[in-house]
Structures are given as structure tokens and as C-alpha cells.
Amino acid sequence: MATSGSIDSGGYQGRVLRFTWNTQSINSANNTRTIAYSITAVGGSSSYYYHHNETVEINGTRVYTGSDSHQVNTNAVLASGTMTIDQNNTQTLTVKMHGGIYSRTDNINKEQSWSLDTIPRYAKITSHSISSSGLNDIKVNWGADSTCDAVQYSLNGGSWVGTSGSPYTISGLSPNTSYSIKTRVRRKDSQLWTESAAINGTTKDIGKISSVNNFNHGDSTVVNITNPSGSTLSLAMKIGNTQIQSKSVSTGNNTISFNDTELDNIYKLYGSGNTLTATFILTTAGNYTNSKTCTVTLKGNQKTTYVGSNGRKRAKIYVGVNGTVKRAVVWIGNNGRKRCI
């Protein structure tokens, strides 16, 4: 295998044509090689001598023709230039020299072939972009100008990880995190790898409570939620260590209402006060939590007594104050009194 070469023709008394060539450039995408060549008259004891109708061909293309009986100076460059060889069609460079030196019978005929080095063939990555992202994954699109039989990715300059497809998916990532991603592909016919430049991708954020309204005991409240990833959400309400309720929620405003049992559980936590701090805890995809607090205020809106003898029902208490009806709750005990249901 060769990337350059030289050959002398036949001649007379050491007077010959010398053909030299070397690789000037290669185009791995097109599988072509550009060579630079020169044809020089060398040898002999005199400063000049005569050539007769000599020719030089490279791979069948004539690159030099001399006239009949023309004077040639020693060391003169008779021809030079470049030629591009398509190695899809041939892996060989062949030079043929014909004609005569000094007399028409002094034959310079000579032929020489060189096997050309195989050109490293690399796939060209023609596209590389983020397709989409989720809570824990990023999808990457890529394209290449030739058939590839393997693809790998690297995160933040780390080791290469095998994957497949376009887009391919990178899983197991952290939410709301930016990653630098490189892709490399292996060209099928040459088994050579091509590496892309880095692109940046960011995973989606977890669901979050953007706001929750303070509310009076017995009323509903509104919890506003964002959820960029579209993952499943569940919302729990706790007061201290006591969980009051848990439910599935969605993006936007969620109205939170309470049944009698839940209100009873809240009511029992007031002690001698009239306010409580409620914590709403949002869980995304069963793994990630975000919370916000609000204040619950008791203003008597609570069923604290029973009416009826058979099939008793819960009832609220009202009192008259200066001619105005107001809600009330029942207390029991004197010292160490407590609210009663």
C-alpha cells in the first residue's frame, strides 16, 4: 500500500524520465485521493539530449506528450500537476511511459503500479438535536450521510454509552437539570467512529404548588399547580403529623373540599386555638415532592352536636349575639375545658 512513489523509465546511457508522485489530499466522504506528480528528465553526461515522441499516462490519462526529436535539458521538469483518483472505482495508481531517448530506437517504455492506501471512511453527522425531554429523560435526534451500525452517547464528558435508534433516549436523569450531550456513530463499511459536537438538553421540572389559599374551617380552598413534565401527581394535606386527605390532582387550579370526617379530624387538632397550619404536599411520579403551607381558621363552621333520637344527625350550633346569629361550637369542662363533637 502506498501514498507516494517514484519510477525511472528505460533510457540511453542513464538518460531517463523520472516520474514521482505523492498524496496531496484525501476526501474520506467521497473516497477520493488527490495526487501531485512531476515528470523530470534526469541522467546523462551532457546538459541536454533529444527525446522522440515520449508520452506518460496515469491510470489511462495522458499527462505529458513530447514532440519528435526535441531537445531536453537535464533536470528539466517536463510536466507537473495534480490528479484526483476515485478509489470507489480503483485502488491502484498505474503509470505508463513510452517513446525514445537520443534515438528512436532507445526505448524508454516502462510501466509501474502502486496499490493505494485505503482511505479511512467516516460517516458525516448531518443533524444532531434535542427531540424532546421529560422528567427523567431526554430524546436525541441524529442523522448521518452513510449507513451506521452503532451509536453511543456521552453525558457531560463522561464515558460512552451504547444506545440505538433516532431519536434515542437517555434515561435515569435528574429533573430540571441541564446536560451536555455528545453522540458518536460507527460507519458500517469502515467501522470508524465519528463524534459530534456537544449539544445541551434540559429535563423537565417536577410538579410544584405555585399557590394555596388560606381558608376558613368548613370552606374549600384552591391549590394552583404547575406540571411541566405532565407526570402523574398526587396531593396530600397534613396538619402536623396527621394526614387529612390525599387525592390525584392536575395542572392548574384544584379546588380542595372536605367531608365531615376530614373536618372532624381537623377540628380535633385546634386544641384551645382557632388557627392551624396546613401543609399541602405535591408528589410527582411517586418520587419527587414539593410543599406549601396555608392557614386554616375556625369560625364556628363545624358540626359539634347531634339532633334526633333515632338515626341521630350531626348539627351545627348557632347563637344570637346582640340580635345577630353567629356560628358557635360546644365546649365541655371547666378547668382544662375542650371543644366537643
Side-chain angles (χ1 to χ4, degrees):
M1 306 293 272
T3 59
S4 62
S6 178
I7 179 81
D8 285 350
S9 71
Y12 175 76
Q13 294 183 349
R15 299 167 181 173
V16 298
L17 293 183
R18 177 167 293 160
F19 176 86
T20 59
W21 69 276
N22 62 79
T23 298
Q24 188 177 66
S25 63
I26 59 174
N27 186 319
S28 60
N30 296 331
N31 200 29
T32 58
R33 178 188 305 271
T34 298
I35 66 164
Y37 65 87
S38 66
I39 302 161
T40 307
V42 298
S45 57
S46 61
S47 60
Y48 67 90
Y49 45 95
Y50 289 91
H51 285 210
H52 302 275
N53 299 319
E54 75 277 27
T55 62
V56 179
E57 294 179 356
I58 303 173
N59 285 2
T61 297
R62 185 167 294 183
V63 294
Y64 172 67
T65 299
S67 60
D68 186 29
S69 191
H70 65 108
Q71 180 178 302
V72 175
N73 293 326
T74 300
N75 297 322
V77 177
L78 305 180
S80 63
T82 61
M83 175 180 288
T84 298
I85 299 171
D86 186 347
Q87 291 191 217
N88 294 299
N89 300 324
T90 180
Q91 293 290 328
T92 303
L93 186 152
T94 299
V95 62
K96 295 180 180 180
M97 294 184 282
H98 297 280
I101 295 180
Y102 192 67
S103 72
R104 292 175 177 81
T105 59
D106 298 321
N107 199 314
I108 69 168
N109 295 354
K110 195 68 172 285
E111 180 175 329
Q112 174 72 40
S113 293
W114 293 267
S115 294
L116 299 172
D117 280 10
T118 300
I119 295 174
R121 304 296 306 282
Y122 294 91
K124 180 181 179 182
I125 295 178
T126 55
S127 62
H128 189 222
S129 62
I130 303 299
S131 171
S132 62
S133 63
L135 188 69
N136 302 116
D137 63 80
I138 293 174
K139 295 182 185 297
V140 179
N141 272 324
W142 64 274
D145 65 351
S146 53
T147 302
C148 299
D149 62 1
V151 58
Q152 297 177 338
Y153 67 84
S154 169
L155 284 180
N156 298 331
S159 59
W160 291 102
V161 179
T163 185
S164 62
S166 179
Y168 64 79
T169 301
I170 306 172
S171 303
L173 306 178
S174 297
N176 194 31
T177 302
S178 178
Y179 292 90
S180 173
I181 302 166
K182 286 186 177 181
T183 300
R184 70 175 184 177
V185 297
R186 187 175 66 190
R187 182 169 169 142
K188 184 176 181 179
D189 55 6
S190 66
Q191 295 293 285
L192 295 174
W193 291 92
T194 301
E195 181 178 319
S196 74
I199 56 175
N200 292 318
T202 303
T203 50
K204 295 289 194 301
D205 202 358
I206 65 172
K208 291 183 177 179
I209 301 171
S210 55
S211 65
V212 58
N213 295 336
N214 298 327
F215 64 99
N216 293 330
H217 184 96
D219 295 342
S220 61
T221 187
V222 174
V223 179
N224 185 271
I225 291 171
T226 60
N227 186 23
S229 71
S231 301
T232 58
L233 299 174
S234 63
L235 182 69
M237 174 187 166
K238 298 179 72 174
I239 297 176
N241 293 323
T242 302
Q243 181 164 307
I244 304 302
Q245 67 168 229
S246 179
K247 62 186 296 183
S248 296
V249 289
S250 58
T251 303
N253 288 329
N254 293 263
T255 299
I256 309 301
S257 301
F258 304 92
N259 59 35
D260 285 344
T261 299
E262 292 167 343
L263 288 172
D264 285 348
N265 291 334
I266 297 172
Y267 180 75
K268 294 172 184 178
L269 298 173
Y270 282 104
S272 60
N274 291 319
T275 62
L276 292 169
T277 298
T279 302
F280 285 89
I281 305 165
L282 182 67
T283 302
T284 305
N287 290 318
Y288 306 100
T289 60
N290 174 257
S291 64
K292 235 175 185 53
T293 61
C294 69
T295 299
V296 187
T297 302
L298 177 63
K299 291 190 175 181
N301 187 14
Q302 172 66 27
K303 295 176 181 179
T304 59
T305 188
Y306 293 87
V307 295
S309 56
N310 295 321
R312 295 189 306 165
K313 295 182 178 181
R314 296 280 298 282
K316 297 178 182 179
I317 301 295
Y318 293 86
V319 297
V321 179
N322 297 324
T324 301
V325 177
K326 295 186 177 182
R327 290 190 179 102
V329 294
V330 176
W331 292 78
I332 60 172
N334 187 9
N335 295 324
R337 66 178 186 156
K338 62 180 180 179
R339 289 186 174 97
C340 177
I341 292 178

